[in-house]
Amino acid sequence: MTYETIIVEQRGAVTLVTLNRPQALNALNGQVLDELLAAMAAFDADASQGCAVVTGSAKAFAAGADIKEMQAQGFAAMYGHDFFAGWDRFTRTRKPIIAAVAGYALGGGCELAMMCDFILAADTAKFGQPEVKLAVSPGMGGSQRLARAVGKAKAMEMCLTGRMMDAAEAERAGLVSRIVPADELVEEAVKTAATIAAMAPLAVLANKEMVNMAFESGLAAGVQFERRLFHGLFGSADQSEGMAAFVEKRAGVWTGK
Ligand code: CAA
């Protein structure tokens, strides 16, 4: 597929996806969604790829859903077509995705970053859910994921006032895993993704699935889910190899089986 609003590159086992609508600060329209879904489906299906990075520009990861696309819409079209439901497919990507955020991650941009498995932030990153200023609300999961990530007080304040969080506050609040200098952001994200891509593939899928279950279940059910996946990994050749390699003081060689 030829992409017009994103750039997709393979760096070894890492798929690097760069949002590329600079004229609109990477605002997320229907074409961006379609292209991202196609890129993520290709990434998931490609056995040579182990982890993805989604990034934007130095000024904006993404400044939101495309306001100009939504401006003339009414309730019937939005509800009738379940507008934004396509983003749920992005979250069903099975392999890990890192968001590398510099500049603005606002509205749908913040929501896209939170749909990724974790966020690496440049020191220039700014996160916000300013939809209330447009007389609407988050619609791509932001109210739910932000509240789970930073707790009710900060999520409520951000959604009700549209206030932005800078990178330092986002790290303190637990929204981002780490802050890196802006000019090292993509390089550091690709390096982190390469570390993940070098792990045994089934173990990576299982680890992602079980951490996500923490957001979907109560503690006892989540712990049970973790244990069953853990048991299941003992059916893989890579488990035998991984533990033998540790005992023999050498690096494991994975087959993905
Ligand atoms: N949708 C469409 N176009 C956008 C956009 C968006 N979300 N954000 C920026 N743009 C466009 C601007 O209209 C402008 O285009 P023109 O040159 O054609 O006028 C261009 O990008 C550059 O933007 P600015 O001139 O505004 O740049 P700035 O540096 O002065 O300001 C900004 C940057 C503070 C991020 C400002 O652009 C802004 O406030 N953007 C909107 C942020 C926002 O409200 N996001 C939420 C959108 S709704 C949503 O996301 C719903 C949801 O739940 C998913």
Side-chain angles (χ1 to χ4, degrees):
M1 175 164 177
T2 313
Y3 300 112
E4 291 175 351
T5 64
I6 61 175
I7 298 166
V8 181
E9 299 160 70
Q10 290 191 349
R11 304 256 180 106
V14 175
T15 298
L16 174 62
V17 179
T18 306
L19 301 170
N20 187 34
R21 289 189 76 207
Q23 72 286 4
L25 300 185
N26 293 331
L28 306 167
N29 62 10
Q31 187 179 0
V32 177
L33 170 60
D34 289 346
E35 293 186 5
L36 269 179
L37 291 178
M40 287 302 126
F43 158 65
D44 246 354
D46 185 341
S48 76
Q49 299 298 288
C51 189
V53 172
V54 175
T55 195
S57 68
K59 177 164 181 186
F61 176 74
D66 192 317
I67 298 167
K68 292 166 189 166
E69 188 180 63
M70 295 184 290
Q71 184 183 3
Q73 301 296 323
F75 171 77
M78 296 301 264
Y79 183 63
H81 295 128
D82 203 5
F83 194 76
F84 285 156
W87 287 101
D88 295 344
R89 279 171 55 204
F90 181 89
T91 66
R92 290 200 287 274
T93 307
R94 296 197 67 207
K95 293 175 191 169
I97 307 170
I98 302 171
V101 175
Y104 296 112
L106 300 179
C110 186
E111 293 170 295
L112 172 59
M114 292 189 290
M115 280 183 227
C116 297
D117 296 302
F118 61 92
I119 302 173
L120 280 185
D123 44 18
T124 58
K126 288 191 176 66
F127 300 88
Q129 297 291 161
E131 292 92 338
V132 71
K133 295 185 191 170
L134 302 167
V136 291
S137 71
M140 286 163 52
S143 63
Q144 306 305 297
R145 291 196 177 92
L146 190 64
R148 281 165 171 76
V150 305
K152 179 181 170 185
K154 276 189 191 288
M156 194 66 95
E157 188 196 351
M158 287 172 71
C159 288
L160 291 179
T161 68
R163 179 175 81 79
M164 290 184 219
M165 232 186 227
D166 65 15
E169 184 179 3
E171 188 187 33
R172 279 199 306 276
L175 180 60
V176 310
S177 67
R178 277 189 289 137
I179 301 174
V180 296
D183 57 357
E184 294 167 21
L185 175 70
V186 173
E187 189 192 324
E188 183 60 28
V190 169
K191 198 170 120 197
T192 305
T195 300
I196 294 168
M199 303 293 174
L202 295 177
V204 168
L205 292 182
N207 275 275
K208 169 167 170 167
E209 239 182 304
M210 67 178 70
V211 174
N212 279 333
M213 187 53 77
F215 296 94
E216 306 288 348
S217 69
L219 180 62
V223 169
Q224 178 84 340
F225 180 81
E226 175 196 271
R227 193 175 309 128
R228 292 292 172 251
L229 278 183
F230 169 74
H231 293 159
L233 289 170
F234 281 73
S236 70
D238 282 345
Q239 173 272 328
S240 309
E241 165 65 5
M243 293 192 176
F246 174 81
V247 172
E248 293 160 19
K249 302 188 188 299
R250 60 176 176 81
V253 180
W254 315 124
T255 59
K257 294 188 178 133

